[in-house]
Amino acid sequence: MDKDRKLIFSGIQPTGTFTLGNYIGAVRNWKPLQEEYNCVYCVVDMHAITVRQDPIKLRQNTMNAYALLMACGVDPQKSILFIQSHVRTHAELSWILSCNTQFGELSRMTQFKDKSQRHADDVNAGLFTYPVLMAADILAYNADLVPVGIDQKQHLELARNVAQRFNQRYGEFFTLPEPYIPDVGAKVMSLQEPTKKMSKSDENPNACILILDDKDTIIRKFKRAVTDSESEVCYREGKDGINNLMSIYSTITGKDFDSITSEFAGKGYGDFKLAVGEAVADHLEPIRTEFARLSKDKAYLRECYTDGAEKALKYSQRIVSKVYRKVGFVDKT
């Protein structure tokens, strides 16, 4: 860890292949951040079990998510990359932070309300308190920045509130983490209902791009993307479908909205949707190739996540030990 660099923490759930939204909104930024910050990244398998999981699938999805992060450019030699359940300090700190979190704060969490409706037969305590575990994930490393999607800002605000409350009770200790949100493409919308966030759980398979989709599949989904009754490719209110596609195209190609509008002046939506599909497919192709290679090398993956967990524990243990002392726990040694 470079003492002159700020620290970034981020985690991603192992709920199957990442969507284009996961990639653009968060994971795509993780690679370049390694060059500027001390980066701590993990697969948050403990968060995943707030809803019922098939154990075999969870293990496979966790391994796939870990390999996908590496395929997307996260270098375990430059970043600390690990699996959440391998580092006990996250759960240990979560309990202390739970005792510094108000019931009312958790009851206002939008995602709890949403997931409670979708999983009405299993509204468990973990589903209610998992924002505290998320706060522990961040505060166990005293992270300065957290790359989050717009829909996660509420959870980061909770982490800040809990950290501030702890500091007021026990003395200044925790850093108040700030969000890192890209200006463009922070929230990728459904290709079929562009007022809704893109989600792999969408019942319409054409609504979501998975980053391991092959080129033909990606182009086909973009060709079927919902737009509007106009024909001009431009970014403005009331053109949700086109705005979403322009945001994706801009993020992938680096072109601004004015350049995109000029590029497709006089052309129809069909040409534009094909161009977006081809740009996305070509951009993701190296990731698909690298993921296929890594997935075959289980021994290397095990070596990487074991080493990552050791580094994460060593770093976070120093912080959690100080927290234990601050709240009044007796030292073990």
Side-chain angles (χ1 to χ4, degrees), residues 95-279:
W95 174 250
I96 293 176
L97 297 183
S98 291
C99 298
N100 288 271
T101 304
Q102 300 302 303
F103 184 91
E105 290 177 303
L106 294 177
S107 66
R108 289 191 292 272
M109 293 291 105
T110 302
Q111 287 208 4
F112 171 70
K113 295 174 183 176
D114 293 343
K115 288 190 175 183
S116 295
Q117 291 177 347
R118 282 182 303 182
H119 305 279
D121 61 333
D122 187 27
V123 184
N124 58 74
L127 188 62
F128 186 69
T129 62
Y130 89 93
V132 184
L133 177 58
M134 186 180 294
D137 296 335
I138 298 164
L139 298 177
Y141 304 91
N142 251 340
D144 300 287
L145 294 168
V146 182
V148 292
I150 292 172
D151 60 328
Q152 292 289 337
K153 283 188 70 176
Q154 189 185 32
H155 287 155
L156 186 58
E157 285 298 325
L158 177 72
R160 287 172 56 86
N161 291 342
V162 173
Q164 194 166 37
R165 187 176 296 121
F166 183 94
N167 290 347
Q168 289 169 347
R169 289 178 178 174
Y170 301 105
E172 290 298 318
F173 180 73
F174 285 125
T175 300
L176 302 186
E178 298 286 345
Y180 177 93
I181 301 176
D183 292 333
V184 177
K187 191 170 185 178
V188 176
M189 312 307 284
S190 163
L191 297 185
Q192 294 299 309
E193 294 182 69
T195 57
K196 289 173 46 180
K197 179 184 172 184
M198 181 178 285
S199 171
K200 65 172 68 75
S201 62
D202 199 304
E203 293 180 1
N204 187 335
N206 293 313
C208 175
I209 301 292
L210 302 176
I211 67 171
L212 295 181
D213 282 344
D214 60 44
K215 184 169 185 175
D216 288 343
T217 299
I218 291 172
I219 290 175
R220 184 179 70 252
K221 289 180 178 180
F222 273 110
K223 282 183 175 180
R224 295 175 178 174
V226 170
T227 51
D228 53 59
S229 59
E230 300 178 5
S231 60
E232 183 184 6
V233 176
C234 65
Y235 196 99
R236 67 167 179 257
E237 188 176 350
K239 293 174 71 69
D240 296 320
I242 288 296
N243 293 348
N244 185 38
L245 295 180
M246 287 184 71
S247 180
I248 292 169
Y249 192 60
S250 174
T251 304
I252 294 297
T253 64
K255 299 175 181 178
D256 61 30
F257 291 156
D258 289 340
S259 298
I260 297 170
T261 298
S262 298
E263 180 182 351
F264 292 95
K267 298 180 181 179
Y269 286 171
D271 290 335
F272 178 52
K273 289 195 282 188
L274 176 61
V276 178
E278 289 181 335

Side-chain angles (χ1 to χ4, degrees), residues 65 157 298 315 322:
E157 285 298 325
K298 303 290 193 236
Y315 192 96
K322 291 176 182 177

Side-chain angles (χ1 to χ4, degrees), residues 49-65:
I49 64 169
T50 56
V51 297
R52 291 194 185 102
Q53 299 284 340
D54 178 302
I56 294 174
K57 287 183 179 179
L58 178 59
R59 270 189 287 273
Q60 185 61 55
N61 285 341
T62 300
M63 289 295 292
N64 286 347

Side-chain angles (χ1 to χ4, degrees), residues 22-33 72 184 250-254 283:
N22 300 140
Y23 177 72
I24 288 178
V27 177
R28 180 175 183 266
N29 301 298
W30 292 11
K31 178 181 178 181
L33 290 175
C72 288
V184 177
S250 174
T251 304
I252 294 297
T253 64
H283 180 84

